[in-house]
Every structure is written in structure tokens, then in C-alpha cells.
Amino acid sequence: GENVEQHPSTLSVQEGDSAVIKCTYSDSASNYFPWYKQELGKRPQLIIDIRSNVGEKKDQRIAVTLNKTAKHFSLHITETQPEDSAVYFCAARGLGGATNKLIFGTGTLLAVQP
Amino acid sequence: EAQVTQNPRYLITVTGKKLTVTCSQNMNHEYMSWYRQDPGLGLRQIYYSMNVEVTDKGDVPEGYKVSRKEKRNFPLILESPSPNQTSLYFCASSLVAAFRTDTQYFGPGTRLTVL
């Protein structure tokens, strides 16, 4: 079945620097890759997603890139701010079995130091 | 307001005492799912439902039951809770259209402690 690996597990950056979180997936048929942000004590919330027919998507300070050949995708946050501090989860959806099944990575704790 | 709600938000119980965590969505979503979140393990799917009366096991279904009698509700049932089911539980829902799915929206979470 699908497996998603996420790195690093923790990331500390200075305010204003960029942060990059990387995920790899195993199912080459995966076609949808969302990223969720979870603040302390809150629910995961979608921040950006990408489908397999595009290679990059941007939304203000965040961007996601997808390399289907290498089966990896990355989240890029530029000009980080303290409010970006949270746990970030990547996920991948395969096409086998349940069409809605998302497999999540284990999360990255991002700490932005003021 | 479009939302997914869960109740209770916090629950402390004892081993073997049956409990139900409710989940409800008002977005007319076909798909609903339960996840548990444990440190270092991310979000793991327990059960999911593609529509009314259609449910299936996720990755960690042991010790759990679900039902989907109505489109808006998807309760999670622990018939005989054990301490290893102490976790943070999230319900989620999304649309299903032409075998493609939309964004999954999460409920606020239920923190369960089994003593």
C-alpha cells in the first residue's frame, strides 16, 4: 500500500528565513497531495494542495512542488513568521481501493524563532 | 457555517466502559473518516465511509466500530476501550464527485484517555 515519508521531523528557522519540508511517496498512481498545518491544540487545516497534472503551485508565501518521476513533493515557506510555527503534515492519495484514502506523513514541527 | 463537529471534546474513561464519539457535518459530504493522532505516528485512518450504509476499515480498525445511518453523522464506537486507545481522534469529511475527492475538512478533535 501507499507509504509517505516526511522529513525533517523538526525544523527550527530564524524569522524571515525560508523553510522546506520534503515528502516521498511510494504509489506511483497517487494523484493528489495536500499539506495540512496543525497549530497546538487545533485541528489540521489545509494550507495548499497540488494535483499530479501540475509541477508547482504557489499561494503567497507558501509553495508546493511535485516531482512525479522521483515521487517526492515539497512545501516551501518563504519569509517565515512566528505564526508559521506549527506541525505540518503532508499526505498523498492513491487510486487503489478507497478513492478518498489519504496517507499522511508523520509530521514536521516547525519552530520560527523571532 | 460549514463545519465538522465532534463530541465530546475531552473524555476520560475506564477500561471496558463502552463509549461513543459523535461526528456530524453540515456540508452534505458523502465521504467521512475517522483518524487517530499519536506522537511520532501522524494521522492514521481508523474507518471511513463513502456514503450512507457504506463503511470500510482503514489502517488501524481493531477495537473500533462505526455506523453511517445518515449522511451527516458518523459516530465512532469503542465497545470495550483499552489504554492503548488513549489518543487524539479526528473526524473528517469531503465531497466525492466522479471518483475525485475534494479537500478533507477536519473536526476539532476529541482527546480520549482510557485509564
Side-chain angles (χ1 to χ4, degrees), chain B residues 5-109:
Chain B
T5 57
Q6 292 178 229
N7 281 292
R9 295 288 314 280
Y10 304 90
L11 180 60
I12 300 174
T13 189
V14 295
T15 298
K17 186 176 181 182
K18 180 179 179 180
L19 65 93
T20 299
V21 184
T22 65
C23 174
S24 183
Q25 50 90 10
N26 62 1
M27 296 171 279
N28 204 35
H29 286 170
E30 295 89 355
Y31 178 85
M32 297 184 75
S33 178
W34 277 102
Y35 297 90
R36 60 178 289 174
Q37 183 177 16
D38 302 289
L41 297 177
L43 289 151
R44 294 180 294 167
Q45 190 178 53
I46 303 170
Y47 268 94
Y48 65 93
S49 170
M50 296 292 284
N51 214 323
V52 176
E53 302 291 1
V54 180
T55 63
D56 210 343
K57 297 177 180 178
D59 297 313
V60 288
E62 294 78 20
Y64 305 95
K65 285 174 58 177
V66 293
S67 69
R68 188 87 182 274
K69 295 186 173 62
E70 309 161 278
K71 199 172 188 179
R72 62 183 293 129
N73 297 323
F74 190 45
L76 179 69
I77 303 153
L78 284 72
E79 295 269 2
S80 182
S82 63
N84 64 10
Q85 292 178 298
T86 293
S87 187
L88 179 59
Y89 291 86
F90 287 101
C91 179
S93 73
S94 71
L95 280 170
V96 177
F99 302 106
R100 282 188 51 178
T101 56
D102 206 336
T103 304
Q104 284 199 27
Y105 295 90
F106 283 81

Side-chain angles (χ1 to χ4, degrees), chain A residues 2-4 25 27-34 49-52 73 90-104, chain B residues 31 35 94-104:
Chain A
E2 174 74 280
N3 183 49
V4 176
Y25 59 98
D27 185 353
S28 57
S30 293
N31 65 353
Y32 174 63
F33 308 91
D49 57 10
I50 190 168
R51 298 186 190 274
S52 57
F73 56 111
C90 65
R93 184 189 69 205
L95 293 175
T99 59
N100 284 332
K101 186 176 178 66
L102 283 180
I103 303 295
F104 285 85
Chain B
Y31 178 85
Y35 297 90
S94 71
L95 280 170
V96 177
F99 302 106
R100 282 188 51 178
T101 56
D102 206 336
T103 304
Q104 284 199 27

